[in-house]
Amino acid sequence: MSASSGIAAPDDDCAVVRFSTDDYAPRERLEVLHEVFGRNLQKVQVEPLVENDFHTAVTFRRMPGLALYEASRSAAIYRRSREFIEHDDVFLIAGLTPGYEVRHLGRTLNMKCGEAVVLTGAEPASFGGPAQNSVSLLRVPVRLLSPLVSGLDNAYGRPIPADSPALQLLTRYLGILQEAGTFAVPELRRQAVVHIHDLIALAIGATRDATEFANARGGRAARLPVIKEDIASRLDQANLSVGTIAARHRIKARQIQRLFESEGTTFTEYVLAQRLARAHRLLTSPLHARQKISTIALDAGFRDLSHFNRAFRRRYGMVPSELRTGG
């Protein structure tokens, strides 16, 4: 696909553009980088730090209220001079690698692993450093964020710590949205954009009134899928409990319980259902045909084989051995 072409979503209010230097011959890449990517797509001057082996791959999503850039790229410096300034939107850059340097509004930041930074599109900036496997840049109109954030002007050119719960929630939520294809569905996309606004505000520093509202709306909407993702990666752990998950996400156990209750279930019931589903997948997979049922039960997080058999029968109408033999 041509790097300068766009792919419009069916409702036409979300455009997706992909750019990759791999789409061009090596001798063309620097020129295309400056003209297509620099001057047209991101409005920056690009200075590769290793010209002979430079590469970048970027996906741009533009929709009402949000532009989202996901990129992997070689070491380079990106400069936004006054000639490129066209708006006063707010930028949040997340996923920066150690040694990345940001200069903005007279401040120079040497970023640490996992930190984010907030910039205003109304003023020049430069940012650059080592190669990055995954970096996210979010752009939001200032009129949509300023009512939510306390002292937005003071946030420009300042880092957001990597251990900020709101920043961690935002970055994990973005990954879940991408994997689920949420941005391709108009109604889900509109809701997701509002939730992202809330999470950005919480990460920067929401006003007292906005904090409660943003936590109840965007924070709540993002937290449950992030917790479910965390549970899925820990099903085999014997100590998986609402307490351990609450500690990992720095919230109260009762808050997690309420999130699951809002879906008509409980934390315990959800974990059991996911463990049974995992065991079912393993039992029906040709790759695990020779694996003992007791081993599969352990892999799914069951430490008591009798309990596993009873729960499996209640869920699927047969015990695991019957599933394997075809009933």
Side-chain angles (χ1 to χ4, degrees), residues 53-107:
D53 192 32
F54 184 85
H55 71 272
T56 187
V58 188
T59 299
F60 301 79
R61 286 181 172 82
R62 294 190 180 98
M63 60 205 88
L66 178 69
L68 176 60
Y69 306 64
E70 299 285 341
S72 63
R73 55 202 189 189
S74 296
I77 298 173
Y78 300 82
R79 303 185 192 278
R80 186 184 303 276
S81 58
R82 290 207 175 272
E83 69 176 289
F84 286 116
I85 292 176
E86 301 176 334
H87 56 77
D88 62 352
D89 292 353
V90 180
F91 288 98
L92 186 147
I93 308 176
L96 298 176
T97 54
Y100 215 74
E101 184 178 88
V102 177
R103 296 186 179 187
H104 190 51
L105 297 175
R107 302 186 182 109

Side-chain angles (χ1 to χ4, degrees), residues 310-319 322:
R310 290 194 302 271
F312 197 92
R313 180 188 287 277
R314 284 195 299 269
R315 176 66 179 84
Y316 296 106
M318 63 180 73
V319 295
E322 292 175 321

Side-chain angles (χ1 to χ4, degrees), residues 163 165 168 172 223 227 230-231 234 239-257 267:
D163 62 357
Q168 293 177 351
R172 293 180 69 179
R223 188 163 281 118
I227 286 172
D230 200 15
I231 289 171
R234 300 173 187 281
N239 66 344
L240 178 61
S241 68
V242 66
T244 59
I245 294 295
R248 283 180 48 77
H249 293 263
R250 295 189 235 176
I251 60 176
K252 295 180 180 178
R254 184 57 188 146
Q255 288 179 264
I256 293 180
Q257 291 168 337
F267 176 89

Side-chain angles (χ1 to χ4, degrees), residues 218-237:
R220 184 184 182 91
R223 188 163 281 118
L224 185 56
V226 167
I227 286 172
K228 287 181 176 179
E229 181 186 59
D230 200 15
I231 289 171
S233 68
R234 300 173 187 281
L235 287 174
D236 62 334
Q237 297 182 3

Side-chain angles (χ1 to χ4, degrees), residues 16 24 31 44 62 68 81 90 113-114 116 121 134 151 176-177 195 197 203 318 321:
V16 181
Y24 297 90
E31 181 181 354
V44 291
R62 294 190 180 98
L68 176 60
S81 58
V90 180
C113 183
S134 178
I176 290 171
L177 294 176
H195 298 158
H197 291 172
M318 63 180 73
S321 57

Side-chain angles (χ1 to χ4, degrees), residues 110-167:
N110 290 303
M111 306 301 294
K112 298 175 184 176
C113 183
E115 288 187 329
V117 66
V118 183
L119 312 175
T120 171
E123 294 293 336
S126 72
F127 38 94
Q132 299 185 104
N133 292 326
S134 178
V135 62
S136 300
L137 187 152
L138 296 88
R139 172 181 158 187
V140 178
V142 67
R143 62 180 174 79
L144 298 178
L145 273 187
S146 56
L148 303 175
V149 176
S150 178
L152 179 58
D153 288 347
N154 295 327
Y156 296 139
R158 298 189 184 279
I160 299 174
D163 62 357
S164 161
L167 177 61

